[in-house]
Amino acid sequence: DLSLGGMSANNVSLNAAGNISTVDLAQHRTIDTLTASAGGAIDFSGNFGTLGNVTATGGAGFHSLGNLALTGILNIGTSQLALTSGGAISQTGGSITAGAINASAATGLDLGRTNYIYTLTGLSTTNGDITYRNHSNIALPTINAPGSLTLTSDVGAITQNIGTTLTANQLAASAGTMIELTGANHLVSLGALTAGNAITVNNQDSLTLTDDISASSVTLTSALGSIVQTGGAISATNLTANARTGLVLGRTNNVGAL
């Protein structure tokens, strides 16, 4: 195993047959770019701004005091990856392969590259937007996005785990097969939504449609408020819309049947 105390360097590359961990105070480490490879687990905390290529078989956790840019290929196999940042997390390159991921940032979270993650256990930010992209299916836990929530499943479905809620100022989503968000959600508006088959969005409060919505079947529900279309168009073979206090779909829509 490799255990590290304080360090300061521009670029650091760590390699170990076993585990890699940091044991000293986080403020004692200042690193520009970190790369790491371990035959076991990695647990690294400190002041590092960029995370390059990473491989680990026993799980990995990276905890940065400030902004964290993901530029490399992160391969954790079937284990869990944990990311935390005192600033923003932005994925500007590479990809993530992991059995599960939990990511938390103070000022925005962007994991918008083509990733290969089996289970999403958590996404959170104190301020800003959340973006998450996965190659296959996405099953959502409870997510609270102070700004916008943008979700992409390249070839699969976006669904919501039972008992979870989504809270966001705006939701935008794209899925290869379907989008099915049936929880008691609190979304202020819907941006662009597209799916190969069906789209279902349930909301507790009033919902504003601001952009295009496209799928073979579209079902929109506001349990306690209204649904008002202020932008975009709905393109669907079948449309179902239910709202308690008003329903205004007055744009140029392309709907086969209601």
Side-chain angles (χ1 to χ4, degrees):
D1 292 0
L2 180 61
S3 181
L4 304 171
M7 64 174 66
S8 179
N10 289 331
N11 301 307
V12 172
S13 181
L14 305 176
N15 296 276
N19 300 324
I20 297 175
S21 63
T22 51
V23 296
D24 204 354
L25 295 177
Q27 56 264 34
H28 288 177
R29 304 177 189 92
T30 301
I31 298 170
D32 290 338
T33 300
L34 172 69
T35 62
S37 176
I42 300 175
D43 186 6
F44 197 96
S45 300
N47 188 10
F48 56 102
T50 301
L51 189 59
N53 293 338
V54 172
T55 58
T57 60
F62 295 95
H63 316 285
S64 176
L65 292 176
N67 294 333
L68 179 59
L70 310 180
T71 64
I73 297 173
L74 281 60
N75 190 343
I76 317 300
T78 59
S79 298
Q80 175 159 313
L81 173 64
L83 300 170
T84 60
S85 168
I89 296 176
S90 57
Q91 188 181 25
T92 60
S95 63
I96 298 171
T97 299
I101 190 169
N102 191 318
S104 176
T107 60
L109 177 59
D110 184 352
L111 301 177
R113 305 282 294 186
T114 302
N115 299 307
Y116 304 87
I117 299 166
Y118 185 74
T119 301
L120 176 59
T121 59
L123 297 175
S124 64
T125 186
T126 306
N127 295 290
D129 304 327
I130 294 176
T131 298
Y132 180 75
R133 179 180 175 186
N134 199 44
H135 181 67
S136 56
N137 296 333
I138 300 173
L140 297 170
T142 291
I143 297 175
N144 187 342
S148 64
L149 175 61
T150 303
L151 304 168
T152 303
S153 171
D154 294 333
V155 300
I158 299 174
T159 59
Q160 193 170 359
N161 292 330
I162 295 174
T164 63
T165 59
L166 304 178
T167 302
N169 185 57
Q170 184 175 79
L171 170 70
S174 174
T177 57
M178 70 174 182
I179 298 170
E180 189 174 81
L181 306 177
T182 56
N185 299 309
H186 298 277
L187 306 169
V188 177
S189 64
L190 295 181
L193 299 179
T194 180
N197 296 323
I199 293 175
T200 300
V201 178
N202 289 354
N203 205 51
Q204 289 295 101
D205 314 307
S206 293
L207 193 58
T208 301
L209 313 183
T210 65
D211 210 328
D212 293 341
I213 299 175
S214 178
S216 60
S217 175
V218 174
T219 302
L220 304 173
T221 301
S222 172
L224 301 175
S226 62
I227 299 176
V228 178
Q229 187 182 27
T230 62
I234 299 173
S235 299
T237 303
N238 296 288
L239 171 65
T240 301
N242 300 287
R244 184 168 184 176
T245 62
L247 181 60
V248 180
L249 303 177
R251 304 281 296 182
T252 304
N253 299 306
N254 183 15
V255 176
L258 295 174

